[in-house]
Amino acid sequence: MGDKLLFENISKIYGEGDNMVTALDDISLAVRAGEFVAIAGPSGSGKSTFLSIAGALLSPSKGRILLDEKDITSLPSKELTRVRLEKIGFIFQAANLVPYLTVREQLLLLSELTGKRDKKAVIKADDLLSHLGLEHRADHLPEALSGGERQRVAIGRSLMNDPEIILADEPTASLDSKRGRDVVEMLVHEVKARNKAAIMVTHDERMLDLCDRVIHIIDGKIFTNGDTEKRANLQ
């Protein structure tokens, strides 16, 4: 299994001179196919910047980023948009569903954006909804769904383009403990079954046991479980 995402000495610096802030400081990290990685850390530690760079939403100041073994560091904007549509699945904190689209239409939206909405796309959407236990909700609007159901729709939407990597930003933040765990367990299952890579940014330590690896970001630097320096910083 190869690396689906590779950070090579990535730094992100905002501002200049006395106003300069280093959000990420020389980070190197590889995430492989079938691997579910958690990114944890306090507010302001660099987690959001990390996820934005991983999702091709933000360019690094230094270093190189490879997605599915392709260097995307300096791609023009139009090509980066294509990478996001075709290679990356996003799951957001509050599901971010379009309020006036039905559950089935939420999944088909990506096919619309890539110009690939056809009978196959509809079949795929319905298969995903059935697999996620949402077939009876296919024609409902988001307002009729529970928080857990909305996040399951978001998981289905993230899988519609058969992405190489799934990026989840605090996917349990709006859910109680049981529903949050159900959502993460379902996401882990999909990642393993489809041999995808996934990164989940989370504050919820109750979900960390479901992950293959936990990476802590502290002041723009990364530490893995067991690092003595990480422990010292967390105290």
Side-chain angles (χ1 to χ4, degrees):
M1 296 187 297
D3 294 333
K4 290 297 181 182
L5 179 72
L6 182 63
F7 272 36
E8 290 186 343
N9 305 110
I10 292 289
S11 293
K12 182 61 180 179
I13 299 167
Y14 296 104
E16 297 179 353
D18 293 340
N19 296 319
M20 189 171 69
V21 175
T22 301
L24 295 181
D25 189 2
D26 196 31
I27 284 181
S28 293
L29 177 70
V31 183
R32 301 176 69 81
E35 190 175 26
F36 192 89
V37 176
I39 302 290
S43 296
S45 60
K47 300 190 305 297
S48 296
T49 298
F50 176 92
L51 206 65
S52 294
I53 291 176
L57 295 165
L58 190 66
S59 296
S61 303
K62 299 177 183 176
R64 196 165 72 118
I65 177 170
L66 279 72
L67 182 62
D68 198 25
E69 300 183 344
K70 180 180 179 181
D71 189 339
I72 66 168
T73 314
S74 302
L75 287 181
S77 177
K78 188 173 181 179
E79 287 189 47
L80 280 177
T81 298
R82 180 62 57 180
V83 165
R84 289 194 294 271
L85 287 172
E86 296 182 352
K87 298 284 189 179
I88 304 171
F90 293 95
I91 301 172
F92 300 99
Q93 181 172 329
N96 278 26
L97 303 183
V98 182
Y100 53 83
L101 295 182
T102 67
V103 166
R104 181 184 289 110
E105 289 167 341
Q106 305 285 341
L107 270 64
L108 290 171
L109 179 59
L110 196 57
S111 300
E112 294 270 13
L113 294 173
T114 56
K116 297 177 181 177
R117 178 163 178 167
D118 53 20
K119 190 174 181 179
K120 286 183 179 179
V122 175
I123 291 171
K124 182 172 184 178
D126 285 341
D127 283 348
L128 277 169
L129 291 177
S130 177
H131 185 68
L132 295 169
L134 291 165
E135 65 273 18
H136 64 298
R137 295 295 209 180
D139 297 317
H140 288 72
L141 294 173
E143 64 183 17
L145 307 180
S146 69
E149 286 173 331
R150 290 191 195 103
Q151 286 297 51
R152 277 189 277 156
V153 174
I155 290 173
R157 183 178 59 187
S158 76
L159 294 167
M160 269 299 289
N161 60 343
D162 195 29
E164 297 301 328
I165 189 162
I166 296 169
L167 303 176
D169 185 11
E170 300 280 2
T172 66
S174 60
L175 305 175
D176 62 39
S177 181
K178 183 184 183 306
R179 288 186 175 85
R181 193 168 184 86
D182 288 345
V183 164
V184 176
E185 285 177 344
M186 184 168 289
L187 182 54
V188 170
H189 174 77
E190 295 303 322
V191 168
K192 301 296 183 183
R194 299 169 191 272
N195 202 34
K196 303 301 180 184
I199 296 174
M200 176 179 70
V201 166
T202 184
H203 279 99
D204 195 342
E205 294 193 357
R206 296 169 298 182
M207 306 300 162
L208 299 183
D209 64 296
L210 297 171
C211 305
D212 296 309
R213 271 193 296 159
V214 180
I215 306 294
H216 293 265
I217 297 185
I218 302 169
D219 295 332
K221 293 183 177 291
I222 62 172
F223 305 92
T224 58
N225 277 356
D227 286 345
T228 55
E229 188 173 356
K230 180 208 74 178
R231 286 205 194 100
N233 278 277
L234 287 175
Q235 288 175 351

